[in-house]
Amino acid sequence: MAEAMIRLDGVCKRFGKLEVLKGVDIEIGRGEVVCVLGPSGSGKSTLLRCVNLLAPPEEGEIFLEGHDICKGPGSGTGEESWELDFVRQRVGMVFQQFNLFPHKTALENVTLAQEKVLGRSKQEARAKATELLERVGLGDRLDQYPETLSGGQQQRVAIARALAMDPHVMLFDEVTSALDPELVKEVLDTMRELAAEGMTMIVVTHELGFAREVADRVIFMDGGVIVEEGPAGEVLENPKEERTKQFLGLVLDR
Amino acid sequence: MSEFFHQYFDFTIMGDHFSEILEGFLRNLLLFAVAVVLALIFGLFLALLRQLPGKKFMPLRGITIAYIDVFRAIPLLIILFLISGGVPYLNFLPKDIRIPHWFGQPDPFWYAVVALTLVYGAYMAEVYRAGIEAVPGGQVEAARSLGMNHGQTMRHIVVPQAVTKIPAPMLNEMISLLKDTTLASVIAYSESLLLGREVLAETFNSSAVMLSGLMFLVVVLPMARLVDYLIKRNQGKITRGAHMEVA
């Protein structure tokens, strides 16, 4: 593997006394799609928040395209450091609760950061946003406000919003967990296309079918550590660790 | 009973002094109009100072919190006296500031504007804060993950949503401010209460003061109804929002 897109080296994250990540090592290559599975509270979401420094780790190093993005771990929020811009310009994130801006239309949700952060002109941002919203199948909803869109549509706007920043990596944090079953597919389809286009993706999910089909690799986490990782088929069909078997058994029994 | 009625509702006295009291009441409204705009701006400024992130801004946050606490704790009337009875003697200040007569308004008007702005800015900062804290954390996370800095996040995402959550409590502060403009009577700003008290001193009859009170009633009652309406509407929104979540 050439230079890793993302490399985590002994990453630890605490919230007060609660130790959420207890030394996590991961390497993710360019264009790789990695699904992270695990029970709630296992640290999956925190892992994503570490990677884009929404929750900078206390210990360990994270390298993004070879740059150490948390120099001086424990140095606080990293608010004033250059890494923050470096990271946020390269890493897009989509959230479980969509987090669309309710006072902005679908189009404005996608253009705002383009204009304010990347300094694109109104026309440029609009063109890009229109193109992306058409791509996720919402070309006819540009001027609608989030509250008039279904959950699945909102989540697709959120994906378009993140893609508008031309990220090199996309983080997905249980993006289908808040959706009705029949709306899940449209969001997963959008993610499938993205994966097929070669986007590097870290996907925290409970959708085992999606993981089996799309992921190059699956990571199973529990209690703040990686329990097992490997090719999707292998981990999902023939898990080696007892804890993984137990978890997958529970999920499949549903 | 008729004695009571005469003391408070002598229509002859009310009629004789109506235009005078009304003129005074318009001065209450003018004082309110200027002070409320300045307090709304100053309050937002304080609220934003209080939200500045990181260790670097800790001193500034501390000063802001101290300011808000102090000016909410000291009675407005005392602030009013401290300004009107002190600023004129601060000889290091230029005369235009010590004894301001800007835009043709007398110096008590400006002392009252400053006192109301300082105190109500502190109250309103707390209302803004409630609004800012009511914006879900996910909104900030989303904005930050798109690369917006703290200032951009506040300006484009948090504040526009915060102000839609607080019209009712903010209107309550405005109602209080309007009523507190009568305090300016004690520093000789000739608003409706001062004029009413002059009539009281001449006639030993309270009708002119009552008239001033009635004028406030006429203006404030619709505002109070508006507060109720806004609270109801807001609750409707919350219910609809919850429904959206489920749908």
Side-chain angles (χ1 to χ4, degrees):
Chain A
M1 190 157 39
E3 177 194 273
M5 191 76 188
I6 298 174
R7 187 154 67 84
L8 279 74
D9 234 353
V11 167
C12 294
K13 176 70 197 171
R14 275 182 294 272
F15 293 107
K17 275 188 182 154
L18 186 67
E19 206 174 6
V20 184
L21 295 179
K22 302 169 184 167
V24 173
D25 304 308
I26 302 179
E27 205 165 307
I28 293 169
R30 195 173 292 276
E32 204 178 0
V33 177
V34 174
C35 280
V36 184
L37 311 177
S40 41
S42 58
K44 311 181 298 285
S45 294
T46 306
L47 184 75
L48 294 189
R49 283 172 158 68
C50 276
V51 170
N52 80 346
L53 298 185
L54 275 180
E58 272 87 28
E59 276 172 53
E61 303 292 324
I62 300 176
F63 296 87
L64 178 61
E65 299 182 335
H67 292 266
D68 185 349
I69 58 170
C70 34
K71 272 180 291 189
S75 63
T77 58
E79 189 72 34
E80 287 94 20
S81 57
W82 66 274
E83 299 95 325
L84 210 59
D85 288 335
F86 180 85
V87 171
R88 304 265 165 85
Q89 276 164 22
R90 284 166 180 73
V91 180
M93 182 155 180
V94 186
F95 302 86
Q96 180 175 2
Q97 295 298 339
F98 329 137
N99 296 342
L100 289 184
F101 307 132
H103 59 303
K104 305 266 180 203
T105 63
L107 188 74
E108 288 166 348
N109 263 279
V110 186
T111 56
L112 181 70
Q114 291 190 66
E115 289 172 33
K116 304 301 170 191
V117 178
L118 301 180
R120 286 181 186 153
S121 72
K122 252 197 163 66
Q123 292 84 343
E124 228 179 322
R126 213 190 141 86
K128 175 102 185 168
T130 311
E131 179 206 316
L132 282 167
L133 286 168
E134 274 166 6
R135 205 171 114 192
V136 298
L138 295 172
D140 53 343
R141 311 269 172 176
L142 300 183
D143 296 319
Q144 279 183 238
Y145 283 88
E147 64 169 358
T148 67
L149 298 173
S150 75
Q153 291 168 335
Q154 289 192 48
Q155 196 58 294
R156 284 184 281 151
V157 174
I159 292 172
R161 180 174 69 174
L163 289 177
M165 309 304 284
D166 296 323
H168 302 183
V169 182
M170 284 284 281
L171 310 177
F172 293 87
D173 187 7
E174 298 196 30
V175 295
T176 56
S177 300
L179 296 177
D180 273 2
E182 69 235 51
L183 300 179
V184 168
K185 187 174 177 298
E186 62 190 53
V187 172
L188 291 182
D189 284 345
T190 304
M191 290 165 66
R192 265 184 206 106
E193 281 170 34
L194 206 55
E197 287 162 19
M199 175 65 77
T200 309
M201 294 162 64
I202 308 181
V203 184
V204 168
T205 186
H206 293 304
E207 300 289 339
L208 296 187
F210 177 82
R212 187 177 296 119
E213 178 196 346
V214 181
D216 298 307
R217 196 145 51 99
V218 164
I219 291 175
F220 176 72
M221 287 183 71
D222 190 26
V225 295
I226 293 177
V227 175
E228 184 166 356
E229 70 170 296
E234 217 166 278
V235 175
L236 294 171
E237 309 301 336
N238 298 305
K240 291 187 191 67
E241 302 293 328
E242 202 48 46
R243 185 69 187 89
T244 318
K245 284 179 192 162
Q246 199 188 352
F247 176 78
L248 292 174
L250 283 177
V251 173
L252 291 175
D253 279 350
R254 227 176 17 162
Chain B
M1 188 62 206
S2 90
E3 199 177 318
F4 174 88
F5 195 77
H6 262 282
Q7 182 60 35
Y8 291 106
F9 297 96
D10 187 322
F11 293 132
T12 320
I13 290 180
M14 281 187 176
D16 287 349
H17 297 280
F18 184 82
S19 64
E20 180 189 342
I21 301 289
L22 181 63
E23 224 170 278
F25 183 65
L26 292 178
R27 287 193 200 103
N28 285 108
L29 292 182
L30 180 67
L31 176 54
F32 166 74
V34 175
V36 80
V37 170
L38 292 177
L40 281 168
I41 295 168
F42 183 50
L44 180 59
F45 176 71
L46 289 173
L48 289 176
L49 282 184
R50 198 175 177 157
Q51 299 292 328
L52 286 174
K55 284 195 188 107
K56 197 170 77 177
F57 291 109
M58 203 143 76
L60 203 49
R61 284 200 301 271
I63 292 169
T64 309
I65 292 168
Y67 173 90
I68 292 171
D69 286 354
V70 166
F71 277 80
R72 285 196 307 161
I74 301 178
L76 175 55
L77 191 54
I78 292 179
I79 305 279
L80 203 54
F81 277 122
L82 287 175
I83 291 170
S84 71
V87 173
Y89 310 110
L90 297 176
N91 285 319
F92 58 86
L93 294 172
K95 185 165 177 292
D96 264 358
I97 290 181
R98 281 187 290 125
I99 307 169
H101 288 129
W102 310 321
F103 301 105
Q105 294 300 320
D107 47 310
F109 174 84
W110 292 111
Y111 297 142
V113 164
V114 171
L116 288 166
T117 303
L118 292 179
V119 171
Y120 274 90
Y123 283 124
M124 287 175 177
E126 288 296 282
V127 177
Y128 282 119
R129 177 165 78 129
I132 288 170
E133 285 174 0
V135 175
Q139 291 289 309
V140 175
E141 284 196 338
R144 300 310 299 271
S145 77
L146 290 167
M148 288 192 229
N149 59 33
H150 175 79
Q152 291 168 328
T153 303
M154 282 314 235
R155 175 160 171 226
H156 300 292
I157 306 303
V158 176
V159 172
Q161 292 184 61
V163 294
T164 65
K165 294 175 190 295
I166 51 169
M170 201 52 103
L171 254 174
N172 279 331
E173 293 299 338
M174 291 181 186
I175 290 171
S176 293
L177 199 164
L178 173 59
K179 293 187 296 181
D180 278 352
T181 58
T182 53
L183 290 173
S185 65
V186 301
I187 57 168
Y189 177 56
S190 61
E191 47 69 72
S192 63
L193 177 59
L194 183 83
L195 300 173
R197 282 172 58 204
E198 279 171 7
V199 177
L200 174 65
E202 279 167 29
T203 62
F204 303 108
N205 186 290
S206 305
S207 300
V209 175
M210 179 61 80
L211 184 59
S212 158
L214 291 175
M215 286 178 183
F216 277 95
L217 196 69
V218 167
V219 173
V220 170
L221 275 187
M223 284 171 83
R225 289 299 95 215
L226 183 59
V227 172
D228 273 8
Y229 167 75
L230 288 174
I231 289 173
K232 274 225 182 69
R233 197 188 64 164
N234 207 27
Q235 275 166 350
K237 245 188 212 159
I238 290 163
T239 322
R240 277 203 305 284
H243 181 72
M244 287 295 297
E245 290 281 340
V246 178

